[in-house]
Amino acid sequence: MMDPGLLLEALSVLSGCNVESTSGPSQLSPQDFINVVALRQFYKQEGLKELDYPSLGTMSLQDQDLYQTPPSLPEVVEEPSLRTTIKINLEDFFHPNFNYDFTNVKDGDKQFLRGNERYVRPCGWNRAAIRVVGHYGEGDGWLGTGTDAWPVSYHGHNMDGSLGIILKHKGNPDERPDFQDAAAACLVADDTQGRGVYSTPDVKTAEKFCKIFSSKVDGKKYKVVLQNRINPKNRIECQRQNVWVVYIPEGRNPAQTRAIVQESLRPYGLLLKAV
């Protein structure tokens, strides 16, 4: 297992909160954690200043102004007083048996599949596995390698609506009535942006939009990315290659928005790369 202090720093950078260790129950499950990460970016994109989340209360989004998008990939610097504190039990949150160090792995022409789609493994990164086995009522098929598995998705935290317009819908458009209007708007407005949460099947694309931080544990700088599985029924391809969006229609309240994210993205790895 990676150094616990380094893992806490990485979780703090992704969530915009002060993540601290506890021997008691975690305030957030892994699914709640990715909900917070995704929703903070989405609501910031929507121009909101605060995010309310069950068990955490109201979180300020103002500290997000201190992050800038690549290519400069600036070091993360935040004012601690603006941050919500989250208590995480690392033994419950991480699953070291499934850790995998891809730092020196080179796949070359090797092909891997997840859910019958190409899986680009995170070569060059060190993965701390997140404990999600048995956490979902329908079983763990979504996490496997078979045809019923969900494809792999990477979340670089600075990925947002500036990445491009919706190109086409995967899944049943009838399940999302507002999709037709959004897609039609894209045909007449070049600057139309898909409203939702962005990710990518390509870790190199995610790396361009990730965060970088200086660790107080070892003095090194690290890039951090989340590795997820994405529900193929809730994913829309964007005009820009290798970009997906989980579309959130206008008019959805916070509970409905949270439910869309929860039904669409499931985390299973925290990726770190020394700069």
Side-chain angles (χ1 to χ4, degrees), residues 54-110:
S55 79
L56 295 180
T58 301
M59 293 181 288
S60 171
L61 302 180
Q62 297 304 297
D63 52 347
Q64 293 293 302
D65 289 332
L66 298 175
Y67 295 107
Q68 301 176 28
T69 55
S72 58
L73 281 179
E75 176 184 340
V76 171
V77 179
E78 291 191 16
E79 179 59 47
S81 62
L82 295 177
R83 291 171 148 202
T84 297
T85 296
I86 300 175
K87 299 287 187 179
I88 294 291
N89 185 317
L90 293 179
E91 292 185 5
D92 292 340
F93 195 89
F94 289 102
H95 206 164
N97 291 348
F98 295 97
N99 287 359
Y100 199 98
D101 190 352
F102 291 93
T103 302
N104 298 311
V105 174
K106 296 182 180 179
D107 283 338
D109 294 330
K110 294 180 182 178

Side-chain angles (χ1 to χ4, degrees), residues 118-133:
R118 187 185 178 199
Y119 166 36
V120 179
R121 300 203 302 175
C123 296
W125 297 77
N126 194 357
R127 182 177 71 200
I130 296 174
R131 192 178 295 275
V132 290
V133 173

